[in-house]
């Protein structure tokens, strides 16, 4: 098996459970899960948008689970297409964020910084 090193920190990317141990960015570079969290946080700061995940107990996280945020408030309502809509409000770096999850067969949470 090929040894993969993180393009950001240079550490070896070690597989965990059934995962590869790394994420791949838009340029095809591989990054360890810790550096994925740093890049996700940087993207949130710079763009004010993120695609995160709604996990167990309504925890907000990035794909590998290395960036975790507890919601301040969660509200579930009916959705005409997806059946269910979950709105999540949370704080990231002292700024308010809002995320929307639609349906029940996925965990995608589309998030925006609240102005």
């Amino acid at each position: 098996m090929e040894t993969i090193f993180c393009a950001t920190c240079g550490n070896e990317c070690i597989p965990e459970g059934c995962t590869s141990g790394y994420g791949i960015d838009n340029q095809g570079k591989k990054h360890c899960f810790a550096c994925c969290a740093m890049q996700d946080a940087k993207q949130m700061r710079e763009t004010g948008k993120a695609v995160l995940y709604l996990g167990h107990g309504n925890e907000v996280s990035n794909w590998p689970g290395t960036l975790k945020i507890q919601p301040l408030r969660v509200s579930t309502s009916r959705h005409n297409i997806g059946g269910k809509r979950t709105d999540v409000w949370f704080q990231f770096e002292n700024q308010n964020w809002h995320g929307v999850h639609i349906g029940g067969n996925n965990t995608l949470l589309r998030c925006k910084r609240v102005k």
Side-chain angles (χ1 to χ4, degrees), residues 10 18 20 24 32 37 39-42 44 55 71 74-75 84 92 98 100 103:
C18 63
S20 61
I24 302 174
C32 68
Q39 289 185 346
D40 289 337
K42 179 182 176 190
M44 289 174 73
V74 178
S75 174
K84 179 174 110 172
F92 175 72
H98 175 245
V100 176

Side-chain angles (χ1 to χ4, degrees), residues 1-114:
M1 183 161 63
E2 177 187 5
T3 302
I4 306 293
F5 293 95
C6 177
T8 303
C9 69
N11 290 334
E12 182 179 352
C13 298
I14 300 170
E16 299 174 20
C18 63
T19 69
S20 61
Y22 60 85
I24 302 174
D25 66 15
N26 293 338
Q27 289 79 39
K29 295 179 183 176
K30 297 175 181 175
H31 304 274
C32 68
F33 288 160
C35 290
C36 286
M38 290 189 307
Q39 289 185 346
D40 289 337
K42 179 182 176 190
Q43 177 194 0
M44 289 174 73
R45 268 184 237 109
E46 291 175 354
T47 67
K49 296 179 182 179
V51 176
L52 299 173
Y53 297 86
L54 186 61
H56 298 291
N58 293 322
E59 181 179 69
V60 176
S61 72
N62 64 343
W63 176 78
T66 50
L67 175 68
K68 294 182 180 183
I69 304 165
Q70 289 300 318
L72 299 172
R73 184 173 151 223
V74 178
S75 174
T76 302
S77 59
R78 212 174 110 30
H79 189 270
N80 62 336
I81 297 171
K84 179 174 110 172
R85 173 183 168 135
T86 304
D87 288 271
V88 180
W89 292 267
F90 60 94
Q91 280 195 330
F92 175 72
E93 295 183 344
N94 293 320
Q95 294 182 326
N96 293 323
W97 285 72
H98 175 245
V100 176
H101 169 261
I102 295 181
N105 296 326
N106 68 74
T107 58
L108 287 177
L109 185 68
R110 299 189 187 285
C111 304
K112 288 185 181 181
R113 183 172 38 228
V114 177

